[in-house]
Amino acid sequence: YTILSKVHSDRNVYPSAGVLFVHVLEREYFKGEFPPYPKPGEISNDPITFNTNLMGYPDRPGWLRYIQRTPYSDGVLYGSPTVENVGKPTIIEITAYNRRTFETARHNLIINIMSAEDFPLPYQAEFFIRNMNVEEMLASEVLGDFLGAVKNVWQPERLNAINITSALDRGGRVPLPINDMKEGVYVMVGADVPFSSCLREVENPQNQLRCSQEMEPVITCDKKFRTQFHIDWCKISLVDNTKQVSTFQEVVRGEGILPDGGEYKPPSDTLKSRDYYSDFLITLAVPSAIALVLFLILAYIMCCRREGVEKRNMQTPDIQLVHHSAIQKSTKELRDMSKNREIAWPLSTLPVFHPVTGEIVPPLHSDTYDNTSMPLMQTQQ
């Protein structure tokens, strides 16, 4: 049901269609591809990351996924090949990046998908395991323990793991980093016999009511999983392909395989030259021309359309001009007469403080003194 192998240059693998395929990219192997540490004898623990893509394309096939938690952990390729890819060799380019020396190493993985004789298995069940991450579930011993527990409660003759999907790929949220919380994983298995009575207990009205109230249903065989796997029985999906009817399914889910969007068609290497002269005219010339026209119109209005004094006088009645002229002449005469008057300067304009001592100084002349011709400012000795 699973293939675990160590990568080699141009490695050939032969997975079966509709059966879970797992391929581990081990960091220990790629460490030999990079130069050792400067000091001899030191243990090499370089951070290594992997990039996987279909040869000639930027991404992997729709059925193949890849995961690597940290640069210090192994990478894992996993997925469930489809029947449409049977007989077509799929070449996956694996590029390893050494994050310390920035060097790379490339290997090819040739996947030859074979047709499974005992597939498809008509009875499929999908379990949601809450206390597991996808890379933990992909380990051979953990997946083997889970299939063993399923086989004990189902009792089939043939049992295969069909697919494994992270809960994050189903719209789940990233868990908080407290209490060692896990993101959860969906595991789909297939068998050749109908579902056991234990698995069908989720169809009971009492259990369905408890699920609707967000309570755990009562399942008799839950203790066979509880020691290692915490299963959410409200999210279990039982599919009988012989009847094409889902016996219990909250949401109709697929097999976790991404839909085929067709082949990637990159743009042409030869691009046609483009003339930007029209864009220049539209962007700069047209706004500049409009601004110039507006400036000329405003200049004509402000400079060439002024009425002036002569036009104002021509439009004003004669009697009004005579009155205005008489008022201006009288005002001018009054101003000339006010300039020739000689009056006594007020005492407030005379100095009352000594310029040196600051003491109060009496006026220079008495009140009876004729000061009509006294200048405003006294000559300072």
Side-chain angles (χ1 to χ4, degrees), residues 1 18-21 143 147 159-164 187-190:
Y1 55 87
V19 181
L20 180 64
F21 165 73
L143 185 59
L147 292 179
L159 181 68
N160 288 335
I162 299 177
N163 201 7
I164 291 180
V187 181
M188 178 176 288
V189 298

Side-chain angles (χ1 to χ4, degrees), residues 55-58 262-271:
M55 179 174 288
Y57 296 88
E263 296 183 356
Y264 174 73
K265 296 180 180 180
S268 176
D269 296 335
T270 59
L271 298 178

Side-chain angles (χ1 to χ4, degrees), residues 174-304:
V174 178
L176 296 174
I178 55 176
N179 298 330
D180 196 21
M181 297 182 65
K182 305 293 183 178
E183 63 190 29
V185 61
Y186 290 90
V187 181
M188 178 176 288
V189 298
D192 57 345
V193 297
F195 305 108
S196 63
S197 58
C198 172
L199 298 179
R200 290 189 176 276
E201 289 181 0
V202 295
E203 301 175 353
N204 295 338
Q206 295 83 0
N207 288 331
Q208 294 186 13
L209 178 61
R210 294 177 66 89
C211 289
S212 63
Q213 298 175 353
E214 298 183 357
M215 300 173 61
E216 292 188 3
V218 179
I219 307 296
T220 57
C221 57
D222 180 57
K223 58 183 180 181
K224 295 184 179 180
F225 297 91
R226 183 64 62 175
T227 56
Q228 188 176 359
F229 307 100
H230 296 172
I231 297 178
D232 190 346
W233 292 99
C234 291
K235 293 185 178 181
I236 188 174
S237 174
L238 305 178
V239 179
D240 186 358
N241 290 327
T242 59
K243 298 179 181 179
Q244 296 297 328
V245 176
S246 177
T247 57
F248 178 77
Q249 187 176 7
E250 289 186 349
V251 180
V252 178
R253 303 184 180 92
E255 296 181 354
I257 300 175
L258 298 177
D260 187 8
E263 296 183 356
Y264 174 73
K265 296 180 180 180
S268 176
D269 296 335
T270 59
L271 298 178
K272 297 181 180 180
S273 61
R274 181 178 176 183
D275 186 12
Y276 291 94
Y277 181 72
S278 59
D279 297 340
F280 168 77
L281 292 180
I282 296 175
T283 305
L284 296 179
V286 174
S288 301
I290 295 175
L292 179 61
V293 171
L294 294 177
F295 174 76
L296 294 177
I297 294 174
L298 182 61
Y300 173 75
I301 294 174
M302 298 297 294
C303 299
C304 301

